[in-house]
Amino acid sequence: MSKITDPIADYLTRIRNAQKAKHRVVDIPASNIKKEITKILKEKGYILNYKFEDDVNYQGSIKIALKYHPETKTPAIKSITRVSKPGLRQYCDSENIPRVLNGLGIAILSTSKGVMTDKEAQTQGVGGEVLCYVY
């Protein structure tokens, strides 16, 4: 068993792969930052639901119910990409927060006031590490 160097990239890839395989639910090892990202994805309507299970092992896990279009069965998340990587961190200040798909998508940032979307960070006037883009 190898140690994952980038747990957030692994989290995003598990969601991406589960959607490609048309899975209804995906199981991901939990961490506080992943829980926060999951809450944002639910809040913005990119996933149906989630459940944090702390009894599985010491780490716990996140069960995510993926969202698809009722007729066309296309995934709600068209693209989910990692921006800041362990080898090359990407930071932005409150003035230079990136716009995703001209404001249609969201950027998830890790700020000093917690994990939040690009719009929330702009409102609060904080910058931080750009974790990922979702649209």
Side-chain angles (χ1 to χ4, degrees):
M1 176 135 165
S2 63
K3 189 176 179 316
I4 298 166
T5 49
D6 191 354
I8 295 165
D10 175 67
Y11 165 88
L12 301 176
T13 301
R14 281 176 192 238
I15 292 174
R16 216 179 291 120
N17 289 347
Q19 282 194 326
K20 277 198 180 117
K22 300 274 189 264
H23 287 292
R24 308 248 314 261
V25 177
V26 61
D27 219 349
I28 301 164
S31 76
N32 289 343
I33 199 154
K34 288 184 210 169
K35 286 178 181 178
E36 292 304 311
I37 296 171
T38 306
K39 285 175 190 168
I40 290 172
L41 290 177
K42 169 78 172 98
E43 199 178 288
K44 299 294 171 195
Y46 288 108
I47 58 173
L48 272 179
N49 217 333
Y50 63 86
K51 193 165 97 190
F52 301 141
E53 292 181 342
D54 300 322
D55 56 329
V56 183
N57 53 22
Y58 175 73
Q59 198 177 6
S61 78
I62 307 169
K63 267 194 172 19
I64 299 175
L66 299 168
K67 191 174 179 179
Y68 298 95
H69 189 277
E71 280 94 46
T72 60
K73 302 283 184 269
T74 53
I77 300 171
K78 285 184 185 69
S79 167
I80 185 163
T81 46
R82 184 81 161 109
V83 180
S84 185
K85 302 178 177 86
L88 181 65
R89 301 281 183 194
Q90 299 285 348
Y91 299 98
C92 67
D93 54 19
S94 54
E95 284 89 53
N96 299 319
I97 292 171
R99 279 170 69 89
V100 184
L101 217 67
N102 212 8
L104 293 173
I106 60 164
I108 299 176
L109 280 81
S110 173
T111 70
S112 53
K113 294 181 180 172
V115 179
M116 59 182 76
T117 65
D118 47 357
K119 288 173 185 74
E120 287 165 3
Q122 243 159 359
T123 322
Q124 293 189 29
V126 290
E129 186 180 349
V130 186
L131 298 177
C132 61
Y133 293 155
V134 186
Y135 59 88

